[in-house]
Amino acid sequence: MGLFKRRKKEPLFMAMSDESNALSLSVKRARDTASSFRAAFSKPEFKSSMFLAKSMFEDKNEPGEYAHLWLLVNDVLDDLLFCSVCEAPSGFSGVEEGQSYVLTDDKIEDWMINDDGRLYGGFSIRLQRSLLPEAERGNFDEYVGITDYLEELP
């Protein structure tokens, strides 16, 4: 499964500097708006949308090696997100596609709603895209299945 929809391509994993102030700000923004994300989960207008949350995982066989992975949100109960791994990097130990996790706000690094190509949230996705040369952004958008980057939830 590609990041947002089924594909035959390998998952796209991009490295970003942990020292980036912009990355820290995207995590803060995601955490500050997580309640809006949770509230949107039960709205009828998002019934067919994909809800995803990003969290950090440590490789079980390589302490100190981390991956920041998108998880499919299957259900929301109060401030808990019930999720499953939708993409796992090959060679990364302890995380497999389909594996279940429960996330709280302090474990959320980002969130997104993909509503038939319209993106809400996805602050790290927006940052990653902004770091690409203009000529590569169309391929990135096609890979992740995003056609519109919207600022506010309706």
Side-chain angles (χ1 to χ4, degrees):
M1 181 157 131
L3 188 58
F4 304 110
K5 53 187 177 181
R6 296 201 175 275
R7 313 177 181 285
K8 293 184 179 180
K9 296 180 183 179
E10 284 295 313
L12 174 67
F13 294 101
M14 296 174 65
M16 291 184 68
S17 170
D18 287 336
E19 298 171 9
S20 167
N21 188 45
L23 187 56
S24 296
L25 290 173
S26 76
V27 171
K28 180 179 179 348
R29 187 168 179 201
R31 288 181 178 162
D32 288 349
T33 58
S35 62
S36 298
F37 172 70
R38 289 191 308 273
F41 189 82
S42 62
K43 290 185 175 181
E45 61 264 39
F46 291 116
K47 183 179 179 183
S48 61
S49 302
M50 290 189 77
F51 283 71
L52 297 127
K54 185 185 257 185
S55 192
M56 182 174 69
F57 294 86
E58 185 171 18
D59 189 306
K60 300 294 183 198
N61 292 335
E62 298 287 335
E65 291 293 320
Y66 298 92
H68 304 268
L69 305 178
W70 286 103
L71 307 174
L72 182 64
V73 177
N74 302 308
D75 204 358
V76 174
L77 177 63
D78 298 326
D79 63 345
L80 302 175
L81 302 179
F82 295 85
C83 308
S84 57
V85 176
C86 53
E87 288 184 340
S90 60
F92 192 84
S93 302
V95 178
E96 298 176 15
E97 281 191 33
Q99 196 169 0
S100 296
Y101 290 92
V102 177
L103 298 181
T104 54
D105 285 356
D106 63 321
K107 298 296 182 195
I108 295 171
E109 295 185 334
D110 199 355
W111 61 263
M112 72 170 73
I113 302 169
N114 185 334
D115 182 37
D116 195 28
R118 293 177 297 275
L119 176 76
Y120 299 95
F123 309 109
S124 63
I125 290 288
R126 294 167 194 263
L127 176 59
Q128 285 175 319
R129 184 180 188 272
S130 75
L131 298 173
L132 293 173
E134 187 72 37
E136 294 178 24
R137 293 179 184 177
N139 288 338
F140 179 83
D141 294 343
E142 182 181 340
Y143 178 83
V144 296
I146 297 171
T147 55
D148 296 304
Y149 292 80
L150 303 172
E151 291 301 319
E152 301 287 327
L153 283 167

